[in-house]
Amino acid sequence: MSTPLQLRTPAVLCLALSLFIAGLHAHGQTRTENIILVTIDGFRWQEVFGGMDTAVANQRRYHRGDSAYLYGKYWSPDVKARRERLLPFVWSTMAGSGQIHGNRRLGSNVDVANPYWFSYPGYSEIFTGYPDTAVNSNSYPNNPHTNVMEFLNRQPGFTGKVAAFGAWEAFSRILNAPRAGLPMVFAFDDCGGAAPTTSEVLINKMRTDAYRPWGADECFDVFSFYAAMEHLKTRKPRVLWIGFGETDEWAHAEDYRAYLDAAHQTDQWLRDLWQFVQSDPGYKDKTALFVTVDHGRGDRQKDQWTGHGQSVLDSHEIWFAILGPDITPKGEAAGQSQIYASQYAQTMASLLGCTFVAEHPVGKKIEELFVP
């Protein structure tokens, strides 16, 4: 699978471009000043664009003896109504005022470019813009490649204003926490640093005391969300990543009800996040929201929806939605050019008025997203 790559350019060009864009900001010609990235681990495009999958939901093995719950909450015979019942914010607000890509039934193809189709390589591709075949394990050590988060943290106006929160402990290795030098709270890390707020103290206590179905590797998404929201409200980052994980965990556990419920809950958190952004003068109409996944899941053989990886057909297929002041409001994409996750890093940097440069090739930005 090929991927478009952009060779590195001198760092001075990035600084010059940043200063130029800052001037445009001052004159009102470019409005995106902040970006929030949300990842929903392994959440299939099939549910995003089609809602509840009856071929899965009808099997007792996956609905845990309660298909009535699934049909009562998520079913409609109309596909658009069905997907809106599952993801009301995504379809009403993100698709309504932004763009959503990855409906392969409409010829909108979005894929990972790495050949492995699981999490560490997927997240590495998202943040570095480089699908390095050497990054081939979820146990891979600290990522040697520069990621867009640490890059932005070094740019004028962004230093100390970049932060990351997520449920999975491996995120610290994916972003190379010792090198990156920015606030990160993953899995069972305490939030708030040396001076936590009252809310952060409570979040830390609740997370520590909570049931741990995945051991020390991953916490429940609710703790990552509220820790990230408290950081957003009190410390005002310009770049924020929230990495949710329960969709992937419940799928591996063959629990379709919990998988759909986790996705539905994440959609509600996206709504809460956007409502805060649009109510805060520092973020309102200046912020882009980018939602995507690290990999897809099986589909052609319905007993493979629980898995992903090279041996699982179609699990390279992904999707994304994006909303913001410099995003053309095109809605649901159809018949577009091929898009890869390796293009996300440069796209995010471009939205903030910079060109991401690194010691490795970086995928080109997604041109069709931007207001001409």
Side-chain angles (χ1 to χ4, degrees):
M1 183 182 296
S2 61
T3 180
L5 294 175
Q6 175 176 308
L7 297 177
R8 61 186 179 182
T9 56
V12 67
L13 294 181
C14 179
L15 177 58
L17 182 60
S18 296
L19 294 174
F20 173 72
I21 294 295
L24 293 181
H25 278 306
H27 291 87
Q29 296 180 34
T30 303
R31 294 176 292 167
T32 303
E33 299 178 9
N34 320 286
I35 189 163
I36 300 172
L37 172 69
V38 174
T39 55
I40 311 173
D41 200 298
F43 183 46
R44 301 193 309 168
W45 70 266
Q46 288 87 348
E47 279 87 14
V48 173
F49 297 99
M52 185 186 79
D53 187 339
T54 57
V56 178
N58 289 344
Q59 297 186 53
R60 177 177 293 273
R61 173 183 175 186
Y62 301 134
H63 65 58
R64 302 303 173 93
D66 196 2
S67 60
Y69 171 89
L70 288 177
Y71 274 84
K73 189 166 185 177
Y74 298 120
W75 173 250
S76 169
D78 178 75
V79 66
K80 290 186 177 180
R82 191 163 66 244
R83 67 193 189 183
E84 288 170 9
R85 292 188 75 171
L86 179 62
L87 304 171
F89 173 80
V90 166
W91 283 107
S92 65
T93 302
M94 296 202 73
S97 301
Q99 297 183 31
I100 185 166
H101 295 252
N103 189 346
R104 304 179 90 86
R105 299 183 184 97
L106 298 181
S108 175
N109 293 343
V110 187
D111 295 87
V112 296
N114 76 81
Y116 303 116
W117 313 349
F118 59 86
S119 290
Y120 193 127
Y123 289 113
S124 180
E125 180 179 341
I126 287 171
F127 287 104
T128 68
Y130 178 42
D132 184 7
T133 55
V135 178
N136 60 3
S137 168
N138 280 345
S139 300
Y140 200 81
N142 284 329
N143 199 329
H145 304 303
T146 300
N147 64 73
V148 70
M149 301 283 282
E150 62 181 315
F151 172 82
L152 288 170
N153 194 51
R154 296 196 299 264
Q155 306 311 308
F158 289 93
T159 302
K161 292 293 183 179
V162 181
F165 293 77
W168 191 30
E169 61 79 24
F171 289 153
S172 63
R173 289 179 280 116
I174 291 167
L175 291 188
N176 198 329
R179 185 189 67 207
L182 51 95
M184 298 183 190
V185 177
F186 299 135
F188 293 92
D189 295 339
D190 282 342
C191 61
T197 66
T198 300
S199 293
E200 287 168 335
V201 170
L202 180 59
I203 292 166
N204 292 338
K205 176 63 174 171
M206 293 175 67
R207 188 205 59 249
T208 298
D209 292 349
Y211 173 54
R212 302 188 181 194
W214 307 294
D217 290 345
E218 189 164 333
C219 68
F220 286 119
D221 287 336
V222 64
F223 302 118
S224 298
F225 174 71
Y226 281 102
M229 282 297 293
E230 182 69 6
H231 190 92
L232 184 68
K233 292 175 180 179
T234 60
R235 296 173 181 86
K236 307 295 185 182
R238 293 188 62 187
V239 181
L240 176 67
W241 170 39
I242 311 175
F244 295 117
E246 285 188 45
T247 42
D248 189 64
E249 295 294 353
W250 295 127
H252 285 308
E254 301 186 350
D255 190 336
Y256 197 56
R257 170 177 171 166
Y259 168 80
L260 293 184
D261 282 349
H264 185 65
Q265 179 62 67
T266 300
D267 181 89
Q268 293 182 49
W269 287 332
L270 291 172
R271 176 203 61 198
D272 295 345
L273 181 62
W274 191 248
Q275 286 179 348
F276 168 75
V277 163
Q278 290 301 90
S279 69
D280 185 279
Y283 290 114
K284 181 178 172 59
D285 298 328
K286 305 172 186 177
T287 304
L289 176 62
F290 193 166
V291 181
T292 192
V293 296
D294 54 327
H295 56 74
R297 315 195 77 81
D299 180 54
R300 295 185 210 177
Q301 299 175 17
K302 290 303 179 183
D303 62 348
Q304 289 195 335
W305 77 273
T306 64
H308 55 87
Q310 288 177 312
S311 63
V312 180
L313 294 174
D314 305 325
S315 56
H316 57 87
E317 300 172 355
I318 59 172
W319 63 277
F320 71 91
I322 189 166
L323 171 68
D326 295 305
I327 299 298
T328 308
K330 294 180 179 179
E332 187 174 6
Q336 68 189 32
S337 58
Q338 173 72 55
I339 293 173
Y340 292 96
S342 58
Q343 296 177 260
Y344 293 168
Q346 195 64 271
T347 298
M348 289 187 285
S350 296
L351 280 167
L352 295 171
C354 195
T355 299
F356 175 34
V357 291
E359 72 286 349
H360 54 262
V362 175
K364 297 184 294 184
K365 74 176 183 179
I366 307 169
E367 296 284 354
E368 50 264 62
L369 299 184
F370 294 80
V371 173

